[in-house]
Amino acid sequence: MNRLMVWLPLGIFAILVGFFFKGLTLDPREQPSALIGQPVPAFELTDLNTGQLLSREMLPKEPFLLNVWASWCITCQVEHPYLTKLSEQMPVVGLNYKDTETAAKNWLQKLGDPYALQIFDPSGRLGLDLGVAGAPETFLVDSNGVIHLRIQGEVNDRVFAQKIQPMLETIQR
C-alpha cells in the first residue's frame, strides 16, 4: 500500500504531461464537425442571383465545395481569387452568410461570381445547421451530398494540396 502511494502521484503526473504534449500538437483553430459523414442539412433558401428557390436536392451531383462567405468578411476577399480559379476545376457552391442582399450582390459584381449556385442565407439558419463558427468556411461534399471535410478559414493552394485534394481523391475512388 505504501508503495502505491509513492508511485500514484508520479503516474498521475506522467498522464498529465502526456495530455499536455498531445495538446501542443493540436491546431486550436480547428474545430471538429459533427456533420462529417452526414448529408448537407435540408434547406429551402433563394439563389442570390436568380431569386429561385433552392433546396438540397438542387446541389451538384458531383463532388463540390460549399463555401460560406460574406461581404463583411475580409478573409473571404482574400480567398475569392483562388476560389475563382478553383471553380474552373470543380463546382463551388456559395453560401452567403448573414449578409444583406445588396451588399452581397455588389461584392459579387465587383469581385466576380465563381459560384455554380449562390445560396442566400441572411438569417444564418443553414450556417447554424452546418455548425459554421464564422466566415469563411468551406465544406467538401461528395456526389451524394455527404460532407467529408470542413475547412475553417481561407482556402488556398496549401490548404487545397494538404487537405482537400487527398480527400477528393479518396471520395472519387
Side-chain angles (χ1 to χ4, degrees), residues 111-123:
L111 299 175
D113 186 354
Y115 303 110
L117 293 172
Q118 188 52 264
I119 304 166
F120 182 53
D121 187 17
S123 68

Side-chain angles (χ1 to χ4, degrees), residues 97-147:
Y97 178 68
K98 292 187 177 182
D99 213 341
T100 66
E101 185 175 356
T102 303
K105 284 182 175 181
N106 288 342
W107 194 82
L108 287 173
Q109 187 174 25
K110 177 182 168 189
L111 299 175
D113 186 354
Y115 303 110
L117 293 172
Q118 188 52 264
I119 304 166
F120 182 53
D121 187 17
S123 68
R125 182 67 198 166
L126 179 55
L128 182 66
D129 291 345
L130 286 165
V132 170
E137 285 192 26
T138 304
F139 298 86
L140 176 61
V141 182
D142 71 14
S143 57
N144 297 315
V146 175
I147 298 170

Side-chain angles (χ1 to χ4, degrees), residues 2 29 41 44 69 77 93 95 100 104 106 108 113-114 125 127 131 137 155 157 163 167:
N2 201 12
R29 295 168 289 155
E44 283 192 359
W69 70 276
Q77 291 181 26
V93 173
L95 173 62
T100 66
N106 288 342
L108 287 173
D113 186 354
R125 182 67 198 166
E137 285 192 26
V155 171
D157 280 326
K163 295 183 178 183
M167 183 60 72

